[in-house]
């Protein structure tokens, strides 16, 4: 069956460092991959979309890579800030999205 | 102000009762979705609709029903047949669900069965 894995343990990093979150998948060939941010008790907010024929996408301090051979996406936040603390979800799609469980990021001063 | 709204924010229901969750969008999006989120789990798709008067089952449709009579509205009914309905329910919309467009989410409804 299709499976998406994100690190269930929280990632704790110091302000100013680069945070790297991982999304691995198996038994799936997605046409695209999306990353969302979710704050406690709220709906997810879209951050970035990357398609299967793209290797890398950037938006301000965010960067996402997509390796269809390794079946992995990496999500980077450079110069991280305490305001970046949230849960980050990856979602893979063809005709519909399948979400991972998310990784909680905590940025401390 | 364009957006997607869900009501109510908190909902309590007795076992055996049906309950309807509201979802409205004024973004002029064709596609709408309902997800369920449980602690420690990802969002799971209940139902989705890519056009008015048409909808498809998602991965966990049993015990739920929907309608899509208007483009801007996609209500979800949680029936008494749903064995474990206590969860956080999220509605979303996108321009065209078939192109991988970003999904815009509502604030969610937290349903608790007493």
């Amino acid at each position: 069956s299709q499976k998406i894995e994100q690190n269930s343990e929280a990632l704790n990093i110091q302000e100013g460092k680069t945070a790297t979150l991982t999304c691995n998948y198996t038994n799936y060939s997605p046409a695209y991959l999306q990353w969302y941010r979710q704050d406690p008790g709220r709906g997810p907010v879209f951050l970035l979309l990357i398609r299967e024929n793209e290797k890398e996408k950037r938006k301000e301090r965010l960067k996402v890579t997509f390796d269809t051979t390794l079946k992995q996406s990496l999500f980077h936040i450079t110069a991280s800030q305490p305001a970046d603390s949230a849960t980050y979800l990856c979602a893979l799609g063809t005709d519909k999205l399948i979400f991972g469980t998310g990784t909680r990021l905590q940025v401390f001063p | 102000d364009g957006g997607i709204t869900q009501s109510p924010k908190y909902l309590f229901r007795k076992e055996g009762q049906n309950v309807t969750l509201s979802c409205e969008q004024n973004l002029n999006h064709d596609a709408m979705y309902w997800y369920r989120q449980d602690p420690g789990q990802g969002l799971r798709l209940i139902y989705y609709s890519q056009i008015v008067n048409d909808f498809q089952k998602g991965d966990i449709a049993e015990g739920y029903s929907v309608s899509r009579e208007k483009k801007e509205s996609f209500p979800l009914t949680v029936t008494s047949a749903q064995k474990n309905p206590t969860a956080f329910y999220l509605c979303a919309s996108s321009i065209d669900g078939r192109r991988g467009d970003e999904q815009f989410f509502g604030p969610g409804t937290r349903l608790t069965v007493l």
Side-chain angles (χ1 to χ4, degrees):
Chain A
S1 63
Q2 299 164 346
K3 193 174 180 182
I4 303 173
E5 290 183 344
Q6 292 186 259
N7 195 340
S8 59
E9 292 182 10
L11 177 63
N12 297 307
I13 66 166
Q14 191 171 25
E15 182 176 10
K17 302 291 186 183
T18 296
T20 298
L21 285 70
T22 304
C23 177
N24 295 300
Y25 60 94
T26 55
N27 299 323
Y28 199 35
S29 295
Y32 56 89
L33 187 150
Q34 299 179 355
W35 282 89
Y36 289 80
R37 169 186 172 137
Q38 186 175 26
D39 291 286
R42 308 189 72 166
V45 175
F46 172 83
L47 296 174
L48 281 169
L49 161 72
I50 187 166
R51 298 194 183 274
E52 60 179 336
N53 59 345
E54 299 174 314
K55 295 292 185 187
E56 182 180 297
K57 266 282 186 69
R58 291 175 186 259
K59 179 182 176 183
E60 297 173 352
R61 294 185 296 112
L62 309 180
K63 184 178 88 171
V64 62
T65 62
F66 192 12
D67 189 326
T68 55
T69 301
L70 290 179
K71 294 187 181 296
Q72 180 182 78
S73 174
L74 298 178
F75 178 77
H76 307 272
I77 305 175
T78 59
S80 59
Q81 306 165 0
D84 295 326
S85 298
T87 296
Y88 290 86
L89 308 171
C90 74
L92 280 66
T94 49
D95 58 337
K96 57 186 180 182
L97 282 180
I98 299 176
F99 282 83
T101 55
T103 298
R104 179 167 155 72
L105 172 66
Q106 186 73 34
V107 181
F108 56 92
Chain B
D1 243 357
I4 182 164
T5 58
Q6 292 184 243
S7 61
K9 188 168 179 63
Y10 298 97
L11 189 55
F12 297 90
R13 161 196 129 174
K14 291 182 180 179
E15 263 189 61
Q17 288 181 337
N18 291 356
V19 63
T20 297
L21 282 60
S22 167
C23 178
E24 303 278 332
Q25 55 99 359
N26 61 2
L27 300 167
N28 200 32
H29 286 172
D30 284 326
M32 296 187 74
Y33 314 83
W34 274 106
Y35 293 92
R36 168 184 173 137
Q37 188 173 34
D38 295 281
Q41 296 197 40
L43 278 67
R44 291 184 291 168
L45 183 64
I46 304 173
Y47 268 98
Y48 63 105
S49 167
Q50 292 176 331
I51 197 167
V52 175
N53 291 323
D54 188 41
F55 49 82
Q56 288 78 41
K57 291 182 180 180
D59 301 316
I60 54 165
E62 185 176 350
Y64 299 98
S65 65
V66 294
S67 62
R68 186 85 187 276
E69 297 176 0
K70 297 187 294 183
K71 187 175 184 177
E72 59 270 22
S73 179
F74 191 41
L76 173 75
T77 297
V78 184
T79 74
S80 56
Q82 169 51 233
K83 300 302 179 192
N84 186 20
T86 294
F88 188 47
Y89 290 87
L90 288 159
C91 180
S93 69
S94 66
I95 296 172
D96 181 341
R98 289 161 288 192
R99 295 188 300 144
D101 297 312
E102 65 179 281
Q103 293 189 9
F104 292 79
F105 284 82
T109 292
R110 190 167 297 278
L111 173 65
T112 302
V113 174
L114 303 172

